[in-house]
Amino acid sequence: MKKGESTMTEIKFERAAALKAKPQDESKLGFGSIFTDYMFVMEYTEGRGWHDPVIKPYGPLPLDPSAMCLHYGQEVFEGMKAYRAADGRILLFRPEENFKRLNTSCERLCIPKVDEAFCLKALEQLVEIERDWVPHIPDASLYIRPFIIATEGKLGVHASNSYYYVVVLSPSGPYYAAGLDPVKIYVEKSYVRAVRGGMGFAKTGGNYAASLKAQEEASEQKYAQVLWLDGVERRYIEEVGAMNIFFVIGDEVVTPALQGSILPGITRKSALELMASWGLTVSERRLAIDEVAEAYDKGLLKECFGTGTAAVVSPVGELKWGDKVMEIGGGQIGPVSQRLYDTLTGIQWGKVEGPAGWSVEVCK
Ligand SMILES: *Cc1c(COP(=O)(O)O)cnc(C)c1O
């Protein structure tokens, strides 16, 4: 063992005095509003590293009112799911990618890195304990939210010397209650989400705080989400809400290249790898909104869809850019979007064999 490293082989377990009642109707779960019996917590203290990992009853965390996460937003998070296969196995989808990305986010926000293999092991233990909470109905899953917050109680601006790493679990209903309905998206012309050099590539609360105002204005106009343009020229396409974005233009599938301001989605990466393996022409490149509008005018804009853990694949049926309204796919999901949705969900729920290592079994 290296100096300053702590032993974290033992995860303590504190049993709950009583367990909560499981949800009666899994079709009414919605997203992120109920939580399971247990959570995982470990602490970081300068000089000691990460220590005292414990699985304990879900509940409030002791927090100093001056904790730095509350004042300066030093926090990072992840989002992933556990899926119940038809044969009862509980599966995770590429979880190593989430812990790798968590550390990338940590690095940007000056948060000490976690041991990725240990965090995966701890998550598997937590999910196994909570296996009965993984929903049974089709397309529902157990949403997993790992996060790290700065806990030092001090108002001076600097990186905190103490942290909590916490994982909470929330059973969630099917994302699409009524089939894969295409969504309406509003191209944001004044607000921006992130700029190169900022923290757009990190999964951190501040990026979401920055997005709320635009999201509210889009909702008032009955649009589901906003499509962000780059922060410098307001011209190049970035991403949508909590999704990356793809366009099928002629025979090319295009998604904006990762240049520091876009969140590197695991669904995005998986979609790119799958489409390339199918022999499609896929490009990660700069894509201007006027190029999309021009393709639309020429009848070349065949499909547009978002990708992310929550929705998997979300077809876009309408894009509004200023006065220009682009209707895509005639209210239907396109063939590329549909094939991606079927393949990704097939792998996630253990119906389809995916590339090696994509599906990780937690327990039987
Ligand atoms: C999490 C997230 C995504 C999607 O990432 P996945 O790994 O595919 O779930 C896209 N954009 C933003 C801003 C996100 O926070």
Side-chain angles (χ1 to χ4, degrees):
M1 196 172 77
K2 276 183 269 162
K3 231 179 97 192
E5 234 173 61
S6 43
T7 38
M8 293 203 298
T9 39
E10 267 316 300
I11 298 173
K12 235 173 74 186
F13 180 58
E14 288 174 18
R15 194 169 289 281
L19 298 182
K20 302 173 192 174
K22 302 281 187 304
Q24 293 286 315
D25 183 354
E26 291 182 345
S27 67
K28 300 219 164 68
L29 281 170
F31 176 75
S33 46
I34 72 166
F35 295 91
T36 67
D37 293 298
Y38 292 97
M39 61 182 182
F40 175 84
V41 182
M42 69 177 171
E43 292 177 50
Y44 179 93
T45 312
E46 208 165 80
R48 272 183 83 186
W50 289 105
H51 60 89
D52 288 316
V54 58
I55 291 173
K56 61 197 276 187
Y58 181 95
L61 299 163
L63 201 60
D64 192 303
S66 302
M68 300 185 64
C69 63
L70 300 175
H71 302 271
Y72 308 121
Q74 201 191 5
E75 85 93 47
V76 293
F77 68 96
E78 269 304 321
M80 56 211 285
K81 288 171 169 177
Y83 310 85
R84 183 183 295 279
D87 58 10
R89 287 176 304 146
I90 306 294
L91 306 172
L92 300 173
F93 180 72
R94 309 189 80 175
E96 297 91 350
E97 295 287 339
N98 290 91
F99 291 112
K100 202 162 98 189
R101 184 171 66 191
L102 181 66
N103 270 342
T104 306
S105 301
C106 282
E107 150 78 22
R108 180 63 182 84
L109 278 104
C110 296
I111 293 173
K113 291 188 182 172
V114 294
D115 178 335
E116 294 169 25
F118 176 78
C119 286
L120 177 53
K121 197 185 88 176
L123 174 63
E124 288 176 353
Q125 281 190 28
L126 179 65
V127 171
E128 184 160 7
I129 289 170
E130 297 291 55
R131 55 189 301 164
D132 293 344
W133 282 95
V134 182
H136 303 73
I137 63 166
D139 303 325
S141 57
L142 183 68
Y143 185 78
I144 300 167
R145 169 55 56 85
F147 64 98
I148 302 177
I149 55 172
T151 54
E152 184 183 349
K154 221 172 181 186
L155 296 182
V157 179
H158 61 267
S160 174
N161 64 17
S162 61
Y163 299 85
Y164 284 138
Y165 167 84
V166 186
V167 183
V168 296
L169 307 175
S170 176
S172 299
Y175 190 87
Y176 297 102
L180 263 87
D181 260 350
V183 293
K184 289 166 69 175
I185 304 267
Y186 173 100
V187 182
E188 181 54 57
K189 291 181 93 168
S190 39
Y191 301 110
V192 300
R193 172 185 173 273
V195 289
R196 259 200 271 178
M199 53 184 195
F201 67 88
K203 227 170 160 68
T204 178
N207 288 331
Y208 279 81
S211 76
L212 295 175
K213 186 80 178 152
Q215 177 64 47
E216 256 185 32
E217 291 181 12
S219 302
E220 276 165 23
Q221 299 187 50
K222 306 278 179 262
Y223 283 84
Q225 304 241 3
V226 303
L227 175 65
W228 299 106
L229 299 179
D230 77 278
V232 179
E233 295 179 58
R234 311 264 207 293
R235 178 166 178 225
Y236 295 98
I237 290 169
E238 300 231 307
E239 62 177 311
V240 174
M243 291 191 290
N244 295 111
I245 189 94
F246 287 78
F247 296 85
V248 183
I249 300 175
D251 293 326
E252 184 194 17
V253 188
V254 195
T255 193
L258 302 174
Q259 287 175 323
S261 53
I262 298 171
L263 200 286
I266 295 158
T267 322
R268 172 189 182 278
K269 179 178 176 170
S270 306
L272 284 169
E273 289 167 12
L274 284 174
M275 290 188 290
S277 78
W278 298 337
L280 299 180
T281 306
V282 287
S283 325
E284 296 176 74
R285 61 174 176 86
R286 279 190 117 185
L287 177 64
I289 183 68
D290 24 300
E291 182 185 335
V292 169
E294 207 182 298
Y296 176 78
D297 290 339
K298 289 185 182 154
L300 292 171
L301 182 57
K302 294 184 186 159
E303 295 181 45
C304 175
F305 56 91
T307 62
T309 296
V312 192
V313 172
S314 178
V316 176
E318 182 183 319
L319 266 184
K320 181 174 154 60
W321 178 41
D323 296 331
K324 192 174 178 73
V325 175
M326 297 176 252
E327 279 172 16
I328 309 161
Q332 301 290 314
I333 179 168
V336 176
S337 318
Q338 184 74 59
R339 186 173 178 195
L340 264 180
Y341 180 82
D342 293 343
T343 309
L344 284 166
T345 55
I347 296 168
Q348 289 165 340
W349 271 274
K351 288 177 270 191
V352 172
E353 179 90 25
W358 281 22
S359 209
V360 171
E361 185 179 311
V362 174
C363 53
K364 280 202 202 302

